[in-house]
Amino acid sequence: MSDVTDATTAKRGPTPDDGLRIADSKDSGPVLSADGTPLKKSLRRALRMEKLRALALIAPLLIFVMISFIIPIGEMLFRSVENQIVEDTIPDAVRELRQWDRDEDELPPEAVFEAMYHDLFTASEAKKHTRLGSRLNYEESGMSSLFRQSGRALDDLGDDYLDALEEIDPDWEEGTVWYEMMSGGEGAERDTELSSRVVGQISNLEETFLPDTDAFAPSQAISELLPRTAEAYTRFAVFEALVDERDITDRDPWENVYPALIADMKSADVSGYDGPHADMLRELKSNIDDFEAPNYKAAFAAIDEDWAAHETWATIKAHSVRYTNGYFLNAIDMKRTPDGAVSQPEDRQILVKLFQRTLKMSLIITGSCILLGYPVAWILANLPTGKANLLMILVLLPFWTSLLVRTSAWKVMLQQQGVINDTLVWLGLVGDDSRLIMMNNATGTIIAMTHILLPFMILPMYSVMQTINPSYLRAAKSLGATNWTAFWRVYFPQSIPGIGAGSILVFILAIGYYITPEIVGGTDGVFISNRIAYHISSSLNWGLAAALGSILLAVVLILYWAYDRIVGIDNVKLG
Amino acid sequence: MAALTPIYQKPFWLVALSVGAFGGFFGLVVGTANGNGLLGLVVGALLMIALAWGYLNLLKNEGNARGITLAIGAVAGFSLGGLPGGIIGAIFGAVGGWLIYWVHEGRYRAFLPPYLTWFQVLWHYGFRVICALIFIFLITPILVVLPLSFNAENFFTFTPEMLRFDPEGYSLKHYRDFFSNSDWQRSFKNSLIIAPIATIISVSLGTLAAIGLSQAHVPGRRAIMAILISPMIVPLIISATGMFFFYSQIGNWMEGTLGLDKTFVGYVKVILAHAVLGIPFVIITVTATLVGFDRSLTRAAANMGADPVTTFFRVQMPLILPGVISGGLFAFITSFDEVVVVLFVGSASQKTLPWQMFTGLREQISPTILAVATILVAISIVLLTTVELLRRRSERLRGMSPG
């Protein structure tokens, strides 16, 4: 065909020949593909398409695993450094404490006590003060009860002032009066800045998000005249309206506004004020000398003498940071104190021992798995296929059997009235009154876990040993090596990858075990996992649990990385 | 296997040594049980040596000799320990009779290379004995649980009736308890709801991802693989706590904002958590199957005009199906066995079978646990057989010889 562009060609669209022809027709220039685009570009596009298709196939699962596994674990581990609770519960006190130099022997200034009074009052109305108490109790025992009883006793100071105020004007007790005075009536200019700050504080305290658009805001005039009172009242109003969803217009304010009012009135000049109930304020001002200015320091000391102790405040200051290393220090038997990290007292040092025990027992379990697994893997790899498959069933059956079945079997066998002890007593090897204690201690955990993890050792060893050519061993022997030399110098080195793979796998699994130690371990045979579970579900010290978990996870990830380097995760075989 | 080495009769001292050791060991066990170990050892050893001498020099008929030893063992055992003693004695007699001739005729050499020294022969058999002991260690717990689940008493150990093979010592009461107790039945049902659904989720997502991962060009394959395998590597207690916080938030959101039923939300939480745990197993088995998959088959299908979906279901899927199913079985057993995560994520209405067993083991309620354990062993045997058959089928399909 001489004419390239005849009617049929024009109609049938691009074909591979076109590219060739175009490429032939021009001596220089880029190689083109069938539809005339440069081949390079077209190949790149094809590659990109292929990558996208592969990613599209992976994406659903990857997103699922990321959202429901990786991120939750990251979030959980983040709890090991997170310490917002102190600042969220007593924000003003923490701010004031920053000014205080704890190295001086003096107690914090009155401003700290005042801020603490109002913060603690708000927290106890929100029933969050005990939460802070238990948080600080992890660090210093006695804090929990201190906060609990202080929360109850805080009302007294305000009640005394209220009684005195009522003698001047009974209207001071009226919630409606307070609301009118604080809001400044219709059309008054509002202090929205104070309002949104308080809403933020309450949101942090309640760990939710509260909108500050409809929140109560005191009038600008009253906020300038009586700053402490306005703030205390705003906290009351915001909390009751937004959290408890009550109508605040006729509600009695919290008792802490009364001392705040007295403190404000001592210095306020009310002569120029003309907002609602200005007369009440003027009447109060004329009698203000009858009132004592509130002494918060003394009030706290009256509640509990610990409040007058330098140490209490130093502890609060030391733990008022937003991100703390305190939990990690606790995890290694140290604690964060005002004077830096120090060791825990002797009798509370258990976690490092527990880590050591976890490592030691995991090593023992790995070692006994190697000892028991090596001969089995060898015989499986060296028997004829038929027999090996038959014996393989004996390895795979326990591997496939439920973990709890095997654990319960060991519980049945190891207990004092169990099968092994009965057999030993029947044989007369052990007296009926001196039955062996093989359970609820480290022995039980080691025996049961060796049995449970043994298949994980045998299977990788077996797959490595299968590839070792038996003629090497024969060659070594025919060259004069003794049995031992032939094994040790020729066979064993070739089987090391199998031992390595199996050991890391068994060690990784052993170090994080929870169920078996929980059931057969008693108190001496438990692992760090059991401690984590205890802190999550019983003591509720989640930060410490997260710190312990982070350390455990770090160890496992290092081993996992090593496993990946040595064996490759793609080469993990199951069954 | 054909014999490698011509065999010949061995001197009597060798026979005496081995059967003496055998009889002595057994005599020691029987003697200790009856109060005098040393006497048992001497009597056992001498009895076996005397029997061997008598057979080899006077009787000279292997069949009769072995029959007589078996009978002696059975009678002696029965007189000492009743029916179980008789059975053990008969086994002892049978092995003893076989041992005398096995050593005497030198049969132990028959299947070994002729150049082995006596020490190598001894090691060969000694090594097999060690391996046998390890295999027994592997399998004993299961073998103990099985008979004990038929115990007529509420004990976790063998009663004298059971040892006497008295039918009264055995009963199906623990099984009846399992099938009639509402707690066990509810937890069994929960397991049967949660495990299959979790398996379906992890198999469908996992297979897709494994196919994606086995393409030629995947950016960041190692990192993706590491993330997808991580649920298997991260210690369960850490996964469980992470999921505990995550799913309590999700649960509150689903109950509060979407207004869903509390029980339903509970199931969804546990199923999703279990699905994640099963994914690594699906990924690993399916990727392993895809390694041997011949890519030209999909190209051929495309060449003949099949679209990718048809190609997947008509060409690729049937070939990788064995891998998918065995991955699914792994995922199933993971969920079916799982207790830590469900303890943290689930609530009482999602109590699964392992959870119920776990509480039972901690509080030691009843041997019904052993009946459940036996049922679970039976299930795992079925699953193991399925996986093995699938593996062979897969290797046949891919043109490898099963092995």
Side-chain angles (χ1 to χ4, degrees):
Chain A
M1 200 184 287
S2 56
D3 191 359
V4 180
T5 57
D6 68 359
T8 50
T9 318
K11 265 183 199 164
R12 70 183 157 83
T15 70
D17 302 3
D18 297 347
L20 286 177
R21 258 177 258 126
I22 296 164
D24 285 343
S25 64
K26 294 173 189 161
D27 294 328
S28 59
V31 185
L32 298 181
S33 67
D35 52 359
T37 50
L39 186 61
K40 238 183 188 170
K41 196 171 151 197
S42 153
L43 277 176
R44 212 180 296 129
R45 197 175 57 207
L47 188 65
R48 199 165 55 234
M49 283 304 291
E50 202 180 326
K51 280 184 182 171
L52 278 180
R53 203 163 51 223
L55 282 182
L57 285 170
I58 302 169
L61 184 63
L62 192 64
I63 292 168
F64 179 50
V65 173
M66 286 299 282
I67 290 179
S68 71
F69 190 79
I70 305 287
I71 294 175
I73 285 185
E75 219 177 308
M76 191 273 290
L77 297 181
F78 182 62
R79 284 171 193 266
S80 61
V81 289
E82 187 190 50
N83 191 38
Q84 261 94 319
I85 177 171
V86 181
E87 201 176 324
D88 284 352
T89 315
I90 46 170
D92 288 348
V94 166
R95 199 184 57 235
E96 291 293 335
L97 265 176
R98 288 207 188 106
Q99 321 289 329
W100 174 56
D101 183 5
R102 58 173 183 76
D103 288 337
E104 290 168 21
D105 281 342
E106 282 168 36
L107 283 178
E110 180 71 10
V112 172
F113 281 92
E114 185 184 355
M116 183 62 121
Y117 172 73
H118 292 294
D119 282 344
L120 210 52
F121 204 100
T122 316
S124 83
E125 287 294 330
K127 304 205 165 39
K128 296 286 195 248
H129 62 300
T130 48
R131 204 185 51 168
L132 176 63
S134 6
R135 163 68 189 96
L136 291 172
N137 205 51
Y138 300 143
E139 315 295 342
E140 189 75 48
S141 48
M143 285 294 208
S144 182
S145 60
L146 178 66
F147 274 81
R148 203 169 45 243
Q149 54 164 295
S150 305
R152 259 183 274 132
L154 283 174
D155 291 356
D156 298 350
L157 182 67
D159 284 337
D160 294 345
Y161 281 111
L162 177 60
D163 291 345
L165 282 170
E166 272 181 283
E167 279 174 24
I168 297 167
D169 189 335
D171 273 356
W172 281 116
E173 203 205 8
E174 294 299 317
T176 330
V177 173
W178 272 96
Y179 182 75
E180 284 164 7
M181 186 196 290
M182 287 295 140
S183 61
E186 293 286 319
E189 196 191 340
R190 306 277 169 180
D191 186 358
T192 49
E193 192 191 325
L194 174 66
S195 169
S196 62
R197 195 176 84 232
V198 169
V199 170
Q201 284 177 352
I202 302 284
S203 299
N204 286 341
L205 184 66
E206 288 289 317
E207 291 175 288
T208 55
F209 173 75
L210 300 170
D212 61 357
T213 43
D214 297 331
F216 172 85
S219 75
Q220 188 70 40
I222 204 89
S223 175
E224 275 162 22
L225 185 70
L226 307 169
R228 296 182 181 88
T229 320
E231 183 171 349
Y233 188 86
T234 310
R235 280 190 185 186
F236 149 79
V238 166
F239 184 85
E240 297 268 320
L242 293 185
V243 180
D244 286 353
E245 289 171 359
R246 290 195 178 110
D247 179 21
I248 49 163
T249 48
D250 60 348
R251 236 185 126 65
D252 294 347
W254 292 339
E255 284 82 353
N256 68 329
V257 296
Y258 308 124
L261 177 69
I262 303 300
D264 278 336
M265 288 305 280
K266 285 277 175 192
S267 55
D269 176 18
V270 290
S271 53
Y273 180 68
D274 59 351
H277 303 290
D279 49 333
M280 278 172 75
L281 287 173
R282 270 190 275 280
E283 192 185 352
L284 177 59
K285 180 71 188 177
S286 59
N287 290 315
I288 197 69
D289 293 336
D290 297 348
F291 289 89
E292 262 180 54
N295 185 343
Y296 296 104
K297 204 180 272 189
F300 267 103
I303 292 170
D304 195 311
E305 58 186 10
D306 278 353
W307 285 117
H310 183 271
E311 200 189 333
T312 308
W313 292 99
T315 308
I316 295 175
K317 186 178 161 82
H319 292 284
S320 62
V321 288
R322 291 189 81 78
Y323 296 99
T324 179
N325 58 0
Y327 293 118
F328 275 100
L329 289 174
N330 283 350
I332 53 170
D333 283 341
M334 295 175 82
K335 62 177 179 180
R336 184 187 166 92
T337 65
D339 311 309
V342 295
S343 299
Q344 293 267 28
E346 203 76 23
D347 58 319
R348 293 188 66 180
Q349 295 188 3
I350 48 166
L351 291 172
V352 170
K353 280 194 200 120
L354 198 56
F355 269 115
Q356 280 168 350
R357 185 204 290 163
T358 306
L359 287 179
K360 199 180 84 188
M361 285 179 54
S362 301
L363 281 176
I364 294 176
I365 291 162
T366 312
S368 28
C369 279
I370 295 175
L371 279 183
L372 295 180
Y374 200 87
V376 169
W378 191 87
I379 205 147
L380 286 175
N382 284 283
L383 279 178
T385 321
K387 280 187 189 169
N389 278 347
L390 213 61
L391 286 178
M392 199 61 171
I393 292 175
L394 297 183
V395 178
L396 289 179
L397 187 59
F399 178 72
W400 272 93
T401 309
S402 163
L403 170 71
L404 278 160
V405 170
R406 287 182 278 165
T407 309
S408 43
W410 280 110
K411 185 161 182 165
V412 168
M413 288 175 61
L414 293 175
Q415 58 187 321
Q416 280 198 286
Q417 302 297 325
V419 175
I420 292 181
N421 263 316
D422 276 358
T423 314
L424 291 176
V425 168
W426 181 70
L427 286 177
L429 293 176
V430 169
D432 200 11
D433 47 353
S434 58
R435 286 167 175 261
L436 300 180
I437 302 166
M438 291 178 289
M439 216 180 69
N440 293 334
N441 57 18
T443 325
T445 309
I446 290 174
I447 296 177
M449 282 184 60
T450 304
H451 175 261
I452 287 166
L453 296 175
L454 192 51
F456 291 97
M457 182 65 86
I458 294 176
L459 294 175
M461 275 187 180
Y462 169 68
S463 62
V464 169
M465 285 184 186
Q466 252 187 333
T467 62
I468 301 176
N469 193 336
S471 55
Y472 292 159
L473 206 54
R474 284 204 292 272
K477 281 184 189 166
S478 77
L479 290 170
T482 62
N483 294 319
W484 173 251
T485 318
F487 167 74
W488 185 247
R489 301 278 301 277
V490 176
Y491 194 87
F492 185 74
Q494 296 185 77
S495 66
I496 282 181
I499 300 179
S503 305
I504 296 181
L505 193 59
V506 167
F507 193 81
I508 287 180
L509 291 172
I511 203 174
Y513 240 61
Y514 166 67
I515 293 294
T516 309
E518 184 75 20
I519 291 174
V520 297
T523 46
D524 301 340
V526 293
F527 282 14
I528 199 74
S529 303
N530 303 74
R531 197 75 196 166
I532 297 176
Y534 164 77
H535 281 305
I536 290 285
S537 53
S538 303
S539 84
L540 303 183
N541 190 348
W542 290 340
L544 180 55
L548 292 173
S550 309
I551 298 175
L552 178 62
L553 188 62
V555 173
V556 168
L557 286 183
I558 291 169
L559 288 169
Y560 176 48
W561 175 79
Y563 187 83
D564 190 27
R565 292 297 297 270
I566 297 169
V567 194
I569 25 175
D570 307 12
N571 295 333
V572 184
K573 284 210 182 70
L574 299 165
Chain B
M1 193 160 68
L4 287 170
T5 313
I7 54 171
Y8 53 92
Q9 296 197 340
K10 299 291 172 190
F12 183 69
W13 65 263
L14 188 65
V15 180
L17 193 69
S18 35
V19 300
F22 175 72
F25 173 73
F26 205 79
L28 180 71
V29 171
V30 177
T32 325
N34 288 301
N36 194 333
L38 195 65
L39 185 71
L41 181 120
V42 175
V43 170
L46 287 182
L47 185 73
M48 278 307 291
I49 293 171
L51 277 178
W53 189 82
Y55 294 152
L56 299 177
N57 292 301
L58 305 173
L59 193 65
K60 298 191 178 170
N61 179 323
E62 189 182 341
N64 287 346
R66 286 170 73 166
I68 292 169
T69 338
L70 193 147
I72 293 175
V75 171
F78 191 78
S79 60
L80 277 174
L83 189 60
I87 289 174
I88 295 171
I91 294 169
F92 162 75
V95 175
W98 167 83
L99 185 71
I100 292 172
Y101 282 93
W102 190 63
V103 179
H104 174 67
E105 300 284 341
R107 284 177 196 155
Y108 57 89
R109 277 262 184 191
F111 301 108
L112 296 178
Y115 51 78
L116 294 189
T117 63
W118 67 270
F119 181 78
Q120 283 171 322
V121 174
L122 187 65
W123 171 243
H124 177 86
Y125 287 105
F127 185 73
R128 268 153 184 73
V129 171
I130 294 172
C131 289
L133 291 177
I134 299 171
F135 278 118
I136 291 172
F137 171 72
L138 271 170
I139 212 79
T140 321
I142 295 168
L143 290 184
V144 168
V145 164
L146 245 123
L148 277 181
S149 68
F150 295 100
N151 198 340
E153 304 289 329
N154 281 340
F155 294 145
F156 278 106
T157 186
F158 290 99
T159 56
E161 290 82 22
M162 293 186 86
L163 292 173
R164 263 190 270 121
F165 296 107
D166 189 342
E168 285 187 9
Y170 296 85
S171 85
L172 289 172
K173 67 184 254 196
H174 303 311
Y175 291 87
R176 273 197 295 276
D177 186 36
F178 171 68
F179 284 108
S180 57
N181 186 322
S182 60
D183 277 351
W184 283 107
Q185 279 308 299
R186 208 188 49 215
S187 56
F188 189 48
K189 262 187 218 120
N190 278 337
S191 277
L192 288 183
I193 294 171
I194 291 167
I197 302 180
T199 308
I200 290 171
I201 295 176
S202 38
V203 166
S204 44
L205 290 179
T207 309
L208 276 186
I211 292 171
L213 277 171
S214 64
Q215 306 284 318
H217 305 281
V218 185
R221 175 194 312 210
R222 280 180 75 87
I224 293 175
M225 195 76 178
I227 289 173
L228 296 185
I229 301 285
S230 61
M232 193 172 81
I233 302 295
V234 174
L236 266 181
I237 192 77
I238 294 177
S239 318
T241 45
M243 290 178 177
F244 166 66
F245 293 121
F246 175 70
Y247 280 111
S248 60
Q249 288 163 13
I250 293 278
N252 288 342
W253 177 75
M254 288 206 296
E255 280 167 35
T257 317
L258 301 184
L260 293 171
D261 179 47
K262 193 169 180 323
T263 323
F264 175 74
V265 170
Y267 280 112
V268 170
K269 279 163 29 175
V270 176
I271 287 171
L272 289 179
H274 276 185
V276 170
L277 295 183
I279 279 165
F281 298 96
V282 179
I283 296 276
I284 288 174
T285 42
V286 178
T287 351
T289 321
L290 282 168
V291 167
F293 180 75
D294 188 354
R295 245 158 227 301
S296 50
L297 292 177
T298 47
R299 279 200 288 272
N303 215 0
M304 292 174 178
D307 59 65
V309 178
T310 316
T311 314
F312 176 74
F313 281 108
R314 301 284 297 276
V315 179
Q316 201 166 13
M317 196 62 191
L319 282 168
I320 62 168
L321 196 60
V324 173
I325 293 179
S326 64
L329 287 176
F330 271 108
F332 181 83
I333 206 89
T334 310
S335 163
F336 203 70
D337 254 10
E338 209 290 321
V339 55
V340 188
V341 168
V342 76
L343 268 176
F344 278 79
V345 174
S347 59
S349 51
Q350 284 86 46
K351 207 170 216 185
T352 58
L353 208 49
W355 184 349
Q356 183 75 27
M357 286 180 81
F358 182 67
T359 12
L361 282 172
R362 278 223 291 208
E363 291 150 19
Q364 228 175 27
I365 36 168
S366 80
T368 308
I369 290 173
L370 298 184
V372 182
T374 309
I375 293 172
L376 289 183
V377 170
I379 292 177
S380 50
I381 290 175
V382 171
L383 291 183
L384 173 62
T385 320
T386 320
V387 172
E388 184 60 22
L389 291 178
L390 285 172
R391 194 177 63 89
R392 293 186 179 204
R393 185 186 138 80
S394 144
E395 289 187 349
R396 239 193 352 265
L397 280 178
R398 282 150 54 184
M400 301 175 185
S401 65

